[in-house]
Amino acid sequence: MAMLHKVRTLLEMIKFGHTIFALPFALIGAFLAKRGVPEAVTFGWIILAMVGARTAAMGFNRIVDRKFDAANPRTADRAIPSGAVGLAEAWGMVFLFTLLYFVACYQLNPLTLKLSPFALALTFLYSLTKRFTWLCHVVLGVALAFSPLGGWVAVKGTVLDFPMVLSLGVLFWVAGFDTVYACLDADFDRQAGLYSLPSRFGREKAFRLAVFFHGLAFLLFILTGILSGLNYYYYLGIALTAGALFYQHIVVNPKDLSRIQLSFFTMNGLISLTLFVATWLSLAATTK
């Protein structure tokens, strides 16, 4: 029971459920590469690679940010600052899931393995960027933009013909929602000497930038469907995505962040899952 409790604490520490943000986009890349459902073995290794990378990166984030988390009233009760998870335990988790990530990439194909250190390094780098640039949200977007590219390469073993607009869409989608989420800590970041768009330009301007980022993401997702030859199922998903993007910008505003959990987690999880299912249905219909 003690071991199960520790595992639950570790998974809660890195918000394991939020893997759902990036994983569907990796699967979109894989499905587009295959023009349908990839082989079961490939499918499984892609999932394990994504789980490994995301868990390792979040564990690293919690480790390097532990002193800031302890000083911030909003995050002081996180696992490491509160003592629920020891530093050695956190590093152990990072090591194990990094190993899982590289093993999964090895099982896929040579190019996936060659690209894997660069992709993982970007996710680790994000955790350090708040110390020196307010473009940290864009760096996170770049890191997660590797998800669909990784899925494509895992299936095809090449980057040729990859619809780069999909990765650009992910980049701006992530940069937008991370900018909104960073508004929670704008005052603390400013006092602690940390960088973010809200701490640098204020919440109102940050919200406007987030709207701009999400507008770009929406257009790039539309262009993905056009370039990939997807049918109306995909565009139904795009319509739902538009609704989710719009909704998260009306339930939260610079003066009222009380519903940011709904905006950040529920709506963005819905967006990634919706686009994946819409892509899957579209490919299934066009390959019959």
Coordinates of all heavy atoms in Angstrom, one line a residue, residues 18-97:
H18 N -2.1 14.7 -17.9 CA -1.9 15.8 -18.9 C -1.1 15.3 -20.1 O -0.9 16.1 -21.0 CB -1.3 17.0 -18.3 CG -2.2 17.6 -17.2 ND1 -1.7 18.6 -16.3 CD2 -3.5 17.4 -16.8 CE1 -2.7 18.9 -15.5 NE2 -3.8 18.2 -15.8
T19 N -0.7 14.1 -20.0 CA 0.0 13.5 -21.2 C -1.0 13.5 -22.4 O -0.5 13.5 -23.6 CB 0.4 12.0 -20.9 OG1 1.2 12.0 -19.8 CG2 1.1 11.4 -22.1
I20 N -2.2 13.6 -22.1 CA -3.3 13.7 -23.2 C -3.1 14.9 -24.1 O -3.7 15.0 -25.2 CB -4.7 13.6 -22.5 CG1 -5.7 13.2 -23.6 CG2 -5.1 15.0 -21.9 CD1 -7.1 12.9 -23.0
F21 N -2.4 15.9 -23.6 CA -2.2 17.1 -24.5 C -1.4 16.8 -25.7 O -1.8 17.2 -26.8 CB -1.5 18.2 -23.7 CG -2.4 18.9 -22.7 CD1 -1.9 19.9 -21.9 CD2 -3.7 18.6 -22.5 CE1 -2.7 20.5 -20.9 CE2 -4.5 19.2 -21.5 CZ -4.0 20.2 -20.7
A22 N -0.3 16.2 -25.5 CA 0.7 15.9 -26.6 C 0.5 14.6 -27.3 O 0.7 14.5 -28.5 CB 2.1 16.0 -26.1
L23 N 0.1 13.6 -26.6 CA 0.0 12.2 -27.2 C -0.9 12.1 -28.4 O -0.6 11.5 -29.4 CB -0.5 11.2 -26.1 CG -0.7 9.8 -26.6 CD1 0.6 9.2 -27.2 CD2 -1.2 8.9 -25.4
P24 N -2.2 12.7 -28.4 CA -3.0 12.7 -29.6 C -2.3 13.3 -30.8 O -2.6 12.8 -31.9 CB -4.3 13.4 -29.2 CG -4.3 13.3 -27.7 CD -2.9 13.4 -27.3
F25 N -1.5 14.3 -30.7 CA -0.8 14.9 -31.8 C 0.2 14.0 -32.4 O 0.5 13.9 -33.6 CB -0.3 16.3 -31.5 CG -1.4 17.3 -31.5 CD1 -1.9 17.8 -30.3 CD2 -1.9 17.8 -32.7 CE1 -2.9 18.7 -30.3 CE2 -2.9 18.8 -32.7 CZ -3.4 19.2 -31.5
A26 N 0.9 13.2 -31.5 CA 1.9 12.2 -32.0 C 1.2 11.2 -32.8 O 1.6 10.7 -33.8 CB 2.6 11.6 -30.8
L27 N 0.0 10.8 -32.3 CA -0.8 9.8 -33.1 C -1.4 10.3 -34.4 O -1.5 9.6 -35.4 CB -1.9 9.3 -32.2 CG -1.5 8.5 -30.9 CD1 -2.7 8.1 -30.1 CD2 -0.6 7.3 -31.3
I28 N -1.7 11.6 -34.4 CA -2.1 12.2 -35.6 C -1.0 12.1 -36.7 O -1.2 11.8 -37.8 CB -2.5 13.7 -35.4 CG1 -3.8 13.8 -34.6 CG2 -2.7 14.4 -36.8 CD1 -4.2 15.2 -34.3
G29 N 0.2 12.5 -36.2 CA 1.4 12.3 -37.2 C 1.5 10.9 -37.7 O 1.8 10.7 -38.9
A30 N 1.4 10.0 -36.8 CA 1.5 8.5 -37.2 C 0.4 8.1 -38.1 O 0.7 7.4 -39.1 CB 1.5 7.7 -35.9
F31 N -0.8 8.5 -37.8 CA -2.0 8.1 -38.7 C -1.8 8.8 -40.1 O -2.2 8.2 -41.1 CB -3.3 8.5 -38.0 CG -3.8 7.5 -37.0 CD1 -3.0 7.1 -36.0 CD2 -5.1 7.0 -37.1 CE1 -3.4 6.1 -35.1 CE2 -5.5 6.1 -36.2 CZ -4.7 5.6 -35.2
L32 N -1.4 10.0 -40.1 CA -1.2 10.7 -41.4 C -0.1 10.0 -42.2 O -0.2 9.9 -43.4 CB -0.9 12.2 -41.2 CG -2.0 13.1 -40.7 CD1 -1.5 14.5 -40.5 CD2 -3.2 13.1 -41.8
A33 N 0.9 9.6 -41.6 CA 2.0 8.9 -42.2 C 1.6 7.6 -42.8 O 1.9 7.2 -44.0 CB 3.2 8.7 -41.3
K34 N 0.7 6.9 -42.1 CA 0.3 5.6 -42.5 C -1.0 5.7 -43.4 O -1.3 4.7 -44.1 CB -0.1 4.7 -41.3 CG -0.5 3.3 -41.6 CD 0.7 2.5 -42.1 CE 0.3 1.0 -42.3 NZ 1.5 0.2 -42.9
R35 N -1.6 6.9 -43.4 CA -2.9 7.1 -44.0 C -3.9 6.1 -43.4 O -4.8 5.6 -44.1 CB -2.9 6.9 -45.5 CG -1.9 7.9 -46.2 CD -2.2 9.3 -46.0 NE -3.5 9.8 -46.5 CZ -3.9 11.0 -46.4 NH1 -3.2 11.9 -45.7 NH2 -5.1 11.3 -46.8
G36 N -3.8 5.9 -42.2 CA -4.7 5.0 -41.5 C -4.1 4.6 -40.1 O -3.2 5.3 -39.6
V37 N -4.5 3.4 -39.6 CA -4.0 3.0 -38.3 C -2.7 2.3 -38.5 O -2.6 1.3 -39.2 CB -5.0 2.0 -37.6 CG1 -4.5 1.6 -36.3 CG2 -6.4 2.7 -37.5
P38 N -1.6 2.7 -37.7 CA -0.3 2.1 -37.8 C -0.4 0.6 -37.2 O -1.4 0.3 -36.5 CB 0.6 2.9 -36.9 CG -0.2 4.2 -36.8 CD -1.6 3.9 -36.8
E39 N 0.6 -0.2 -37.5 CA 0.7 -1.5 -37.0 C 0.7 -1.4 -35.4 O 1.2 -0.4 -34.8 CB 2.0 -2.2 -37.4 CG 2.0 -2.6 -38.9 CD 2.3 -1.5 -39.8 OE1 2.6 -0.4 -39.4 OE2 2.2 -1.7 -41.1
A40 N 0.1 -2.4 -34.8 CA 0.0 -2.4 -33.3 C 1.3 -2.2 -32.6 O 1.3 -1.5 -31.6 CB -0.7 -3.7 -32.9
V41 N 2.3 -2.8 -33.1 CA 3.6 -2.7 -32.4 C 4.1 -1.3 -32.5 O 4.6 -0.7 -31.4 CB 4.7 -3.7 -33.0 CG1 6.0 -3.4 -32.4 CG2 4.3 -5.1 -32.7
T42 N 4.1 -0.7 -33.6 CA 4.5 0.7 -33.8 C 3.6 1.6 -32.9 O 4.1 2.5 -32.3 CB 4.4 1.1 -35.3 OG1 5.2 0.3 -36.1 CG2 4.8 2.6 -35.5
F43 N 2.3 1.4 -33.0 CA 1.4 2.2 -32.2 C 1.8 2.1 -30.7 O 1.8 3.2 -30.0 CB 0.0 1.6 -32.4 CG -1.1 2.5 -31.8 CD1 -1.8 3.3 -32.6 CD2 -1.5 2.4 -30.5 CE1 -2.9 4.1 -32.1 CE2 -2.5 3.1 -30.0 CZ -3.2 4.0 -30.8
G44 N 2.1 1.0 -30.2 CA 2.4 0.8 -28.8 C 3.7 1.5 -28.4 O 3.8 2.2 -27.4
W45 N 4.8 1.4 -29.3 CA 6.0 2.0 -29.0 C 5.9 3.5 -29.0 O 6.6 4.2 -28.3 CB 7.1 1.5 -29.9 CG 7.6 0.1 -29.6 CD1 7.6 -1.0 -30.4 CD2 8.2 -0.3 -28.4 NE1 8.1 -2.1 -29.7 CE2 8.5 -1.7 -28.5 CE3 8.6 0.4 -27.2 CZ2 9.1 -2.4 -27.5 CZ3 9.2 -0.4 -26.1 CH2 9.4 -1.7 -26.3
I46 N 5.1 4.1 -29.9 CA 4.9 5.5 -30.0 C 4.3 6.0 -28.6 O 4.7 7.0 -28.1 CB 3.9 5.9 -31.1 CG1 4.7 5.7 -32.5 CG2 3.5 7.3 -31.0 CD1 3.8 5.8 -33.7
I47 N 3.3 5.3 -28.1 CA 2.7 5.7 -26.9 C 3.7 5.6 -25.7 O 3.8 6.5 -24.9 CB 1.5 4.7 -26.6 CG1 0.3 5.0 -27.5 CG2 1.0 4.9 -25.1 CD1 -0.9 4.1 -27.4
L48 N 4.5 4.5 -25.7 CA 5.5 4.4 -24.6 C 6.6 5.5 -24.7 O 7.0 6.1 -23.7 CB 6.1 3.0 -24.7 CG 5.3 1.9 -24.2 CD1 6.0 0.6 -24.4 CD2 4.8 2.0 -22.8
A49 N 6.9 5.9 -26.0 CA 7.9 6.9 -26.1 C 7.4 8.3 -25.6 O 8.1 9.0 -25.0 CB 8.3 7.1 -27.6
M50 N 6.1 8.6 -25.9 CA 5.5 9.8 -25.5 C 5.3 9.9 -24.0 O 5.6 10.9 -23.4 CB 4.1 10.0 -26.2 CG 4.2 10.3 -27.7 SD 5.1 11.9 -28.0 CE 4.0 13.0 -27.2
V51 N 4.9 8.7 -23.4 CA 4.7 8.7 -22.0 C 6.1 8.9 -21.3 O 6.3 9.6 -20.3 CB 4.1 7.4 -21.5 CG1 4.2 7.2 -20.0 CG2 2.6 7.3 -22.0
G52 N 7.1 8.2 -21.8 CA 8.5 8.3 -21.3 C 9.0 9.7 -21.3 O 9.5 10.3 -20.3
A53 N 8.9 10.4 -22.5 CA 9.4 11.7 -22.7 C 8.7 12.7 -21.8 O 9.3 13.6 -21.1 CB 9.3 12.1 -24.2
R54 N 7.4 12.7 -21.8 CA 6.6 13.6 -21.1 C 6.8 13.5 -19.5 O 7.0 14.5 -18.8 CB 5.1 13.5 -21.4 CG 4.3 14.7 -21.1 CD 3.6 14.5 -19.7 NE 2.9 15.7 -19.3 CZ 2.5 15.9 -18.1 NH1 2.6 15.0 -17.2 NH2 1.9 17.0 -17.8
T55 N 6.8 12.3 -19.1 CA 7.0 12.0 -17.6 C 8.4 12.5 -17.2 O 8.6 13.1 -16.1 CB 6.8 10.6 -17.3 OG1 5.5 10.2 -17.7 CG2 6.9 10.3 -15.8
A56 N 9.4 12.1 -18.0 CA 10.8 12.5 -17.6 C 10.9 14.0 -17.6 O 11.5 14.6 -16.7 CB 11.8 11.9 -18.6
A57 N 10.3 14.7 -18.6 CA 10.4 16.2 -18.7 C 9.7 16.9 -17.6 O 10.2 17.8 -17.0 CB 9.9 16.6 -20.0
M58 N 8.5 16.4 -17.2 CA 7.8 17.0 -16.1 C 8.5 16.7 -14.7 O 8.6 17.6 -13.9 CB 6.4 16.4 -16.0 CG 5.4 17.1 -17.0 SD 5.3 18.9 -16.7 CE 4.6 18.9 -15.0
G59 N 9.1 15.5 -14.6 CA 9.9 15.2 -13.4 C 11.1 16.2 -13.3 O 11.3 16.7 -12.2
F60 N 11.8 16.4 -14.4 CA 12.9 17.3 -14.4 C 12.4 18.7 -14.0 O 13.1 19.4 -13.3 CB 13.5 17.3 -15.8 CG 14.7 18.2 -15.9 CD1 16.0 17.9 -15.4 CD2 14.6 19.4 -16.6 CE1 17.1 18.7 -15.5 CE2 15.7 20.3 -16.7 CZ 16.9 19.9 -16.2
N61 N 11.3 19.1 -14.6 CA 10.7 20.4 -14.3 C 10.5 20.6 -12.8 O 10.8 21.7 -12.2 CB 9.4 20.6 -15.1 CG 8.7 21.9 -14.8 OD1 7.9 22.0 -13.8 ND2 9.0 23.0 -15.5
R62 N 9.9 19.6 -12.2 CA 9.6 19.7 -10.7 C 10.9 19.8 -9.9 O 10.9 20.5 -8.9 CB 8.7 18.5 -10.3 CG 7.3 18.5 -10.9 CD 6.5 19.7 -10.4 NE 5.1 19.6 -10.8 CZ 4.5 20.3 -11.7 NH1 5.2 21.3 -12.4 NH2 3.2 20.1 -12.0
I63 N 11.9 19.1 -10.4 CA 13.2 19.1 -9.6 C 13.8 20.4 -9.7 O 14.2 21.0 -8.7 CB 14.1 18.0 -10.2 CG1 13.6 16.6 -9.8 CG2 15.5 18.2 -9.6 CD1 14.3 15.5 -10.5
V64 N 14.0 21.0 -10.9 CA 14.8 22.2 -11.1 C 14.0 23.4 -10.6 O 14.6 24.5 -10.2 CB 15.2 22.4 -12.5 CG1 16.1 21.3 -13.0 CG2 14.0 22.6 -13.5
D65 N 12.7 23.3 -10.5 CA 11.8 24.4 -10.0 C 11.5 24.3 -8.5 O 10.7 25.1 -8.0 CB 10.5 24.5 -10.8 CG 10.8 25.3 -12.1 OD1 11.9 25.8 -12.4 OD2 9.8 25.4 -12.9
R66 N 12.0 23.3 -7.8 CA 11.5 23.0 -6.5 C 11.7 24.2 -5.5 O 10.8 24.5 -4.7 CB 12.3 21.8 -5.9 CG 13.8 22.0 -5.7 CD 14.4 20.7 -5.4 NE 15.9 20.8 -5.1 CZ 16.8 20.9 -6.0 NH1 16.5 20.8 -7.3 NH2 18.1 21.0 -5.7
K67 N 12.7 25.0 -5.7 CA 12.9 26.2 -4.8 C 11.9 27.3 -5.1 O 11.4 27.9 -4.2 CB 14.3 26.7 -4.9 CG 15.4 25.7 -4.3 CD 16.8 26.3 -4.4 CE 17.8 25.3 -3.9 NZ 19.2 25.8 -4.0
F68 N 11.6 27.5 -6.4 CA 10.6 28.5 -6.7 C 9.2 28.0 -6.3 O 8.4 28.8 -5.8 CB 10.6 28.7 -8.2 CG 11.9 29.4 -8.7 CD1 12.8 28.7 -9.6 CD2 12.3 30.7 -8.3 CE1 13.9 29.3 -10.1 CE2 13.4 31.3 -8.7 CZ 14.3 30.6 -9.6
D69 N 9.0 26.7 -6.5 CA 7.7 26.1 -6.1 C 7.5 26.3 -4.6 O 6.4 26.6 -4.1 CB 7.6 24.7 -6.4 CG 7.4 24.4 -7.9 OD1 7.1 25.4 -8.6 OD2 7.6 23.3 -8.4
A70 N 8.5 26.1 -3.8 CA 8.4 26.2 -2.3 C 8.1 27.7 -1.9 O 7.4 27.9 -0.9 CB 9.7 25.8 -1.7
A71 N 8.6 28.6 -2.7 CA 8.5 30.1 -2.3 C 7.1 30.6 -2.8 O 6.7 31.7 -2.4 CB 9.6 30.9 -2.9
N72 N 6.5 29.9 -3.8 CA 5.2 30.4 -4.4 C 4.1 29.8 -3.6 O 3.9 28.6 -3.6 CB 5.2 29.9 -5.8 CG 4.0 30.5 -6.6 OD1 3.0 31.0 -6.0 ND2 4.0 30.4 -7.9
P73 N 3.2 30.6 -3.0 CA 2.1 30.0 -2.2 C 1.2 29.1 -3.1 O 0.6 28.1 -2.5 CB 1.3 31.3 -1.8 CG 2.3 32.4 -1.8 CD 3.3 32.1 -2.9
R74 N 1.1 29.3 -4.4 CA 0.2 28.5 -5.2 C 0.8 27.1 -5.4 O 0.0 26.1 -5.5 CB 0.0 29.1 -6.6 CG -1.0 28.4 -7.5 CD -1.1 29.0 -8.8 NE 0.1 28.8 -9.6 CZ 0.3 27.7 -10.4 NH1 -0.6 26.7 -10.4 NH2 1.4 27.6 -11.1
T75 N 2.1 26.9 -5.3 CA 2.7 25.7 -5.6 C 3.5 25.1 -4.4 O 4.1 24.0 -4.5 CB 3.7 25.8 -6.8 OG1 4.7 26.8 -6.4 CG2 3.0 26.2 -8.0
A76 N 3.4 25.7 -3.3 CA 4.2 25.3 -2.1 C 3.8 23.9 -1.6 O 4.7 23.2 -1.0 CB 4.0 26.2 -0.9
D77 N 2.6 23.4 -2.0 CA 2.2 22.1 -1.5 C 2.5 21.0 -2.5 O 2.1 19.8 -2.4 CB 0.7 22.0 -1.2 CG -0.2 22.4 -2.4 OD1 0.4 22.8 -3.4 OD2 -1.4 22.1 -2.3
R78 N 3.3 21.3 -3.6 CA 3.7 20.3 -4.5 C 4.5 19.2 -3.8 O 5.1 19.5 -2.8 CB 4.4 20.9 -5.7 CG 3.4 21.6 -6.7 CD 4.1 22.2 -7.9 NE 3.2 22.7 -8.9 CZ 3.5 23.5 -9.9 NH1 4.7 23.8 -10.1 NH2 2.5 23.9 -10.7
A79 N 4.7 18.1 -4.5 CA 5.3 16.9 -3.8 C 6.7 17.1 -3.3 O 7.0 16.7 -2.2 CB 5.2 15.7 -4.8
I80 N 7.5 17.7 -4.1 CA 8.9 17.9 -3.6 C 9.0 19.0 -2.5 O 9.6 18.7 -1.5 CB 9.9 18.2 -4.8 CG1 9.9 17.0 -5.8 CG2 11.3 18.5 -4.3 CD1 10.8 17.2 -7.0
P81 N 8.5 20.2 -2.7 CA 8.6 21.2 -1.7 C 7.9 20.7 -0.3 O 8.4 21.1 0.7 CB 7.8 22.4 -2.2 CG 7.9 22.2 -3.7 CD 7.8 20.7 -3.9
S82 N 6.8 20.0 -0.5 CA 6.1 19.5 0.8 C 6.8 18.3 1.4 O 6.5 18.0 2.6 CB 4.7 19.2 0.4 OG 4.7 18.0 -0.4
G83 N 7.8 17.7 0.7 CA 8.4 16.5 1.3 C 7.8 15.2 1.0 O 8.3 14.2 1.5
A84 N 6.7 15.2 0.3 CA 6.0 14.0 -0.1 C 6.8 13.1 -1.0 O 6.7 11.9 -1.0 CB 4.6 14.3 -0.7
V85 N 7.7 13.7 -1.8 CA 8.6 13.0 -2.7 C 10.0 13.5 -2.4 O 10.2 14.7 -2.4 CB 8.2 13.2 -4.2 CG1 9.3 12.7 -5.1 CG2 6.9 12.5 -4.5
G86 N 10.9 12.6 -2.2 CA 12.3 13.0 -2.0 C 13.0 13.3 -3.4 O 12.6 12.8 -4.4
L87 N 14.1 14.0 -3.3 CA 14.8 14.4 -4.5 C 15.4 13.2 -5.2 O 15.3 13.1 -6.5 CB 15.9 15.4 -4.1 CG 16.5 16.3 -5.3 CD1 15.4 17.1 -5.9 CD2 17.6 17.2 -4.7
A88 N 15.9 12.2 -4.5 CA 16.4 11.0 -5.1 C 15.3 10.2 -5.8 O 15.5 9.7 -6.9 CB 17.1 10.1 -4.0
E89 N 14.1 10.2 -5.2 CA 13.0 9.5 -5.8 C 12.6 10.2 -7.1 O 12.3 9.5 -8.1 CB 11.8 9.5 -4.9 CG 12.0 8.6 -3.6 CD 10.9 8.8 -2.6 OE1 10.4 9.9 -2.5 OE2 10.6 7.8 -1.9
A90 N 12.6 11.5 -7.1 CA 12.2 12.2 -8.3 C 13.3 12.0 -9.4 O 12.9 11.8 -10.6 CB 12.1 13.7 -8.0
W91 N 14.5 12.0 -9.1 CA 15.6 11.8 -10.1 C 15.5 10.3 -10.6 O 15.7 10.1 -11.8 CB 17.0 12.0 -9.5 CG 17.4 13.5 -9.5 CD1 17.7 14.3 -8.5 CD2 17.6 14.3 -10.7 NE1 18.1 15.5 -8.9 CE2 18.1 15.6 -10.3 CE3 17.5 14.0 -12.1 CZ2 18.4 16.6 -11.2 CZ3 17.8 15.0 -13.0 CH2 18.2 16.3 -12.5
G92 N 15.2 9.4 -9.7 CA 15.0 8.0 -10.1 C 13.9 7.9 -11.2 O 14.1 7.1 -12.2
M93 N 12.8 8.6 -11.0 CA 11.7 8.6 -11.9 C 12.1 9.1 -13.3 O 11.8 8.6 -14.3 CB 10.5 9.3 -11.4 CG 9.3 9.3 -12.3 SD 7.9 10.3 -11.7 CE 8.6 11.9 -12.0
V94 N 12.8 10.3 -13.2 CA 13.3 10.9 -14.5 C 14.2 9.9 -15.2 O 14.1 9.7 -16.4 CB 14.1 12.2 -14.1 CG1 14.8 12.7 -15.4 CG2 13.1 13.2 -13.6
F95 N 15.1 9.3 -14.5 CA 16.0 8.3 -15.2 C 15.3 7.1 -15.8 O 15.5 6.8 -16.9 CB 17.0 7.8 -14.1 CG 17.9 6.7 -14.7 CD1 19.0 7.0 -15.5 CD2 17.7 5.3 -14.4 CE1 19.8 6.0 -16.0 CE2 18.5 4.3 -14.9 CZ 19.5 4.6 -15.7
L96 N 14.3 6.6 -15.0 CA 13.6 5.4 -15.5 C 12.8 5.7 -16.8 O 12.8 5.0 -17.8 CB 12.7 4.8 -14.4 CG 13.4 4.1 -13.3 CD1 12.4 3.7 -12.2 CD2 14.1 2.8 -13.9
F97 N 12.1 6.9 -16.8 CA 11.3 7.2 -17.9 C 12.1 7.7 -19.1 O 11.6 7.6 -20.2 CB 10.2 8.2 -17.5 CG 9.0 7.5 -16.8 CD1 9.0 7.3 -15.4 CD2 8.0 7.0 -17.5 CE1 7.9 6.7 -14.8 CE2 6.9 6.4 -17.0 CZ 6.9 6.2 -15.6

